């Protein structure tokens, strides 16, 4: 991969991972409710799970949809159901016992976060676009370059959104305000389903 192409890939990858979407909204909510340290497994699940998904897409997993079109409909249904469940969890996160303590409950684990990438509509869109644009030949090295770049930029994105959530925490010492924030995050998460359910064009 040439330096120019690598720079273009890195820019594309950073823009796609750092813009708002299910992963980032959940990281922000987790940073607010549980703090940075408890959110690290969630961050690692995204940072390693999504590049693995990109590699699998580049190496041919999308052929399943061509061979069995019903699988795409099933994936979409599971995605919608799981995102609604996660939105419910965020909206109903218990406030902390003390103003400065972490909320009760549990943040996503590494495995939960990594597995979520496979039912994340934005992740599928990003993976398909990245492979189509930057690994057109689907050869192993090109696919690994794309996946590797996503590992690097995901570290920037996951850290940024989690720290943002942690900083928002300072403004939400009142449990009532924290509840409102959680409900807003839940509504925004549900809103990310709109392009999936009602695609334009």
């Amino acid at each position: 991969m040439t330096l120019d192409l690598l720079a273009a890939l890195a820019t594309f990858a950073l823009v796609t991972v750092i813009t708002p979407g299910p992963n980032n909204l959940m990281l922000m909510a987790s940073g607010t409710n549980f703090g940075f340290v408890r959110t690290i497994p969630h961050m690692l699940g995204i940072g390693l799970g999504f590049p693995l998904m990109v590699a699998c897409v580049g190496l041919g997993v999308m052929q399943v949809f061509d061979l069995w079109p019903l699988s795409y409909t099933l994936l979409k249904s599971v995605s919608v159901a799981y995102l609604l469940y996660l939105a419910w969890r965020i909206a109903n996160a218990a406030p902390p016992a003390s103003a400065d303590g972490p909320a009760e409950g549990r943040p996503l684990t590494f495995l939960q976060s990594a597995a979520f990438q496979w039912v994340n509509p934005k992740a599928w869109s990003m993976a398909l676009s990245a492979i189509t644009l930057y690994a057109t030949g689907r050869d192993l090295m090109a696919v690994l370059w794309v996946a590797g770049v996503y590992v690097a930029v995901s570290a920037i994105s996951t850290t940024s959104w989690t720290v943002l959530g942690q900083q928002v925490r300072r403004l939400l010492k009142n449990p009532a305000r924290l509840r409102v924030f959680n409900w807003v995050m839940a509504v925004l998460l549900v809103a990310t389903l709109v392009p999936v359910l009602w695609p334009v064009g």
Side-chain angles (χ1 to χ4, degrees):
M1 182 172 287
T2 66
L3 189 59
D4 288 346
L5 188 59
L6 182 60
L9 169 60
T11 302
F12 173 85
L14 181 60
V15 169
T16 55
V17 299
I18 210 164
T19 50
N23 278 328
N24 294 334
L25 292 174
M26 289 192 299
L27 283 173
M28 184 177 178
S30 184
T32 300
N33 286 281
F34 303 111
F36 187 88
V37 173
R38 292 185 69 193
T39 304
I40 288 176
H42 186 166
M43 295 163 59
L44 291 174
I46 294 171
L48 298 177
F50 177 67
L52 175 62
M53 175 186 174
V54 170
C56 291
V57 168
L59 296 175
V61 77
M62 284 306 299
Q63 292 177 0
V64 173
F65 293 154
D66 295 331
L67 296 173
W68 190 36
L70 181 60
S71 63
Y72 182 75
T73 302
L74 292 175
L75 175 66
K76 182 186 287 190
S77 299
V78 171
S79 299
V80 169
Y82 193 59
L83 274 173
L84 291 175
Y85 165 71
L86 290 174
W88 177 85
R89 275 187 59 178
I90 291 172
N92 292 282
S98 65
D100 297 316
E104 297 176 10
R106 296 177 294 108
L108 288 186
T109 66
F110 172 84
L111 290 178
Q112 288 173 328
S113 176
F116 171 69
Q117 304 317 303
W118 293 88
V119 293
N120 179 353
K122 184 183 177 185
W124 276 105
S125 175
M126 289 162 48
L128 289 170
S129 298
I131 292 299
T132 301
L133 292 171
Y134 298 101
T136 53
R138 307 290 174 88
D139 59 284
L140 180 61
M141 285 308 300
V143 170
L144 291 179
W145 268 109
V146 175
V149 167
Y150 268 106
V151 171
V153 299
S154 290
I156 299 171
S157 176
T158 57
T159 301
S160 299
W161 280 91
T162 305
V163 169
L164 178 60
Q166 188 181 34
Q167 296 306 308
V168 166
R169 172 73 180 181
R170 298 180 180 182
L171 305 175
L172 301 174
K173 292 183 181 291
N174 184 312
R177 290 179 184 173
L178 183 59
R179 287 193 192 93
V180 171
F181 171 83
N182 286 338
W183 272 97
V184 170
M185 289 295 102
V187 169
L188 290 175
L189 185 58
V190 171
T192 65
L193 289 172
V194 171
V196 177
L197 299 176
W198 296 284
V200 178

